Amino acid sequence: MNIILGEDLEELNFILRNIKNINSDFYIVPLNLDTLIFCVKKKINFLNPMDYIENSFHEKVLLSSSELLKKLNYGNIDTDSHQKDYKNYIRKKYNQIFFSYFLIDQILKKKNVKNIYVSGWENFTNDINKFNNNYYLTTIVNEYFKERVKILSIEKNKNENVLDNCYNYSLSPFVDTKKKKIIITSRGYNIYRIILVSLFLRYSVYIISENNVNFFIKNISKFFGINFLILKKREINKVLNFYIKDINFTFENINFSNLLNLSKKYFELKLTDTYYKSQSIKKLLQENKIDLVVSVIARGYQGSAVDYAKKLKIKTLGITHGTISKNFNKIDKIYKKIISEAVFSKNYDFFPLQTKITSEAAETHSLPKLNLKTGNLIFAENFLKFGKKNKILYAVTNKNFNQMHFHGVELFFEFYKNLELLNDLAKSNGYEILVNLHPSVSNYSLENLKQLFKNLSFTKKKISSCLKKAFVTISYSSTVIEDSICSDVPVILFDNWNRYKHCESENKFFDRNKPIYYVTSLNNLKICIENIKNKETDFSDIKYGSNCFKNIYSLLNKII
């Protein structure tokens, strides 16, 4: 048997174009959703990772990454948000390396593999616009398997493009007013609601942005009291040396040090860029009287605004756009702490609890101001409740090969298997199932999934639009869980792998009208759907507050 490995469709196609006489002895190992769909559509032999990855793998990778990160050295990275950036990057690189090693190792143990075909792509850069797209697979295969199997590279072109310089930044001029002043660290995530209520309360609003704003929008916004603070490149500086010590990590006699240090090398430019952006925000906070800093992101320069504000005794408000929840065991706790790092900072003075799901997570995540039970602020909400709701919404989180999470996120081949099951369920029961694809899913996958699963509908529209048509949401772990609850749509947590329960939920389906259920089989999923169809759901056990605008009004009045 010969196996072919490509991180994505581009790398895979490159290999296939350059192998002569491909026959039935060649098998592709798909490593993302695109390549899996490609194999199915083209009817090409492939080895499904599902046959080699079990739940024990998820436990092993989380325990080992936790061990790795406890030993991580941060050198001169001195802010909490920047340390999170570095930690997150190393974790994801480790996940990518560990997954690749484990999967290939299992295949070699179970199959008689003579040759592994790889692209030979080992061109690396620290360019902040490209470094996340560095191809590591050839390097991983050569690092761990050259003594066990013959490795055939299509090309041998090892090259690196390391930039020595980067820019520092300044913010566009700050226009002072006599009003109370709120700085918001980013756009998106329904943050417009915070802006509208702030303007109603006659506050001045300042929004930090990396991107230029349309001239017309900028001036109209300024008229209403919204000022955009644009991060502008200034003079060129050298990439900083953060004096981060090399990583030395071995797990179960497998040494990951070389590849982790290779990855680390290409991240310092990104760290430097974030540092200079953060310095411009620090200067802004030092030179102006600010009443509140609001952030939905706890890492990067957005998170640093919170770090610096805390030191300057400026009030800070963190609003989670993700869903963090109670843990149920050791592995669960590790995973949920990873998720919380992106949206929660120890430097938040105020962290609103938008639903009881977050409230139950308090013990796990040491949240501050636990009495701040606001109700929904930025999750989806159905303001106009009319029209027929006859669809089942299916929405889960998907991650690409270089952004992998484990345990609480289904892998691409698990997602595909669920689509097969739901397609059959829709056909046999006449259900209208709408699949809302995660933003990371490519248009290639979107178009081909429509062809492969004729009984399902696929979309990448806003989740709020999909929820208007849904009487129930099926998910595994995703922000859509709280989006649904806040939109009065009950949720079924479908754990086909008996691995992960996102939050407290009901596992008895008869004569109940609970907002969240947990099922582990297709049969129970059907029973649960039918139960929800015939009952009025009671959301009082899980929701707080009124509508989002009233909740925001009450919150801002309370903390400023």
Side-chain angles (χ1 to χ4, degrees), residues 263-327:
S263 303
K264 174 176 77 73
K265 176 181 179 181
Y266 302 115
F267 193 64
E268 287 205 336
L269 176 56
K270 177 67 168 65
L271 277 174
T272 301
D273 184 74
T274 302
Y275 172 82
Y276 283 129
K277 287 173 181 173
S278 301
Q279 288 301 299
S280 67
I281 295 170
K282 180 181 180 181
K283 183 180 179 184
L284 167 75
L285 296 175
Q286 288 173 330
E287 294 178 353
N288 299 279
K289 185 182 181 303
I290 307 299
D291 296 281
L292 180 69
V293 172
V294 181
S295 188
V296 296
I297 300 171
R299 292 195 294 245
Y301 72 83
Q302 297 95 335
S304 74
V306 173
D307 297 339
Y308 294 134
K310 183 73 172 179
K311 290 179 181 178
L312 295 167
K313 297 182 179 180
I314 299 169
K315 291 178 181 178
T316 58
L317 170 65
I319 304 175
T320 175
H321 65 276
T323 178
I324 56 176
S325 55
K326 173 183 177 181
N327 73 80

Side-chain angles (χ1 to χ4, degrees), residues 402-414:
N402 62 358
Q403 297 289 319
M404 283 184 169
H405 280 302
F406 301 109
H407 179 65
V409 174
E410 290 175 306
L411 298 176
F412 65 93
F413 48 87
E414 295 174 324

Side-chain angles (χ1 to χ4, degrees), residues 104-115:
I104 298 167
D105 178 65
Q106 291 299 304
I107 291 172
L108 294 183
K109 286 176 179 177
K110 295 179 180 181
K111 300 289 185 180
N112 181 22
V113 177
K114 295 179 181 178
N115 302 302

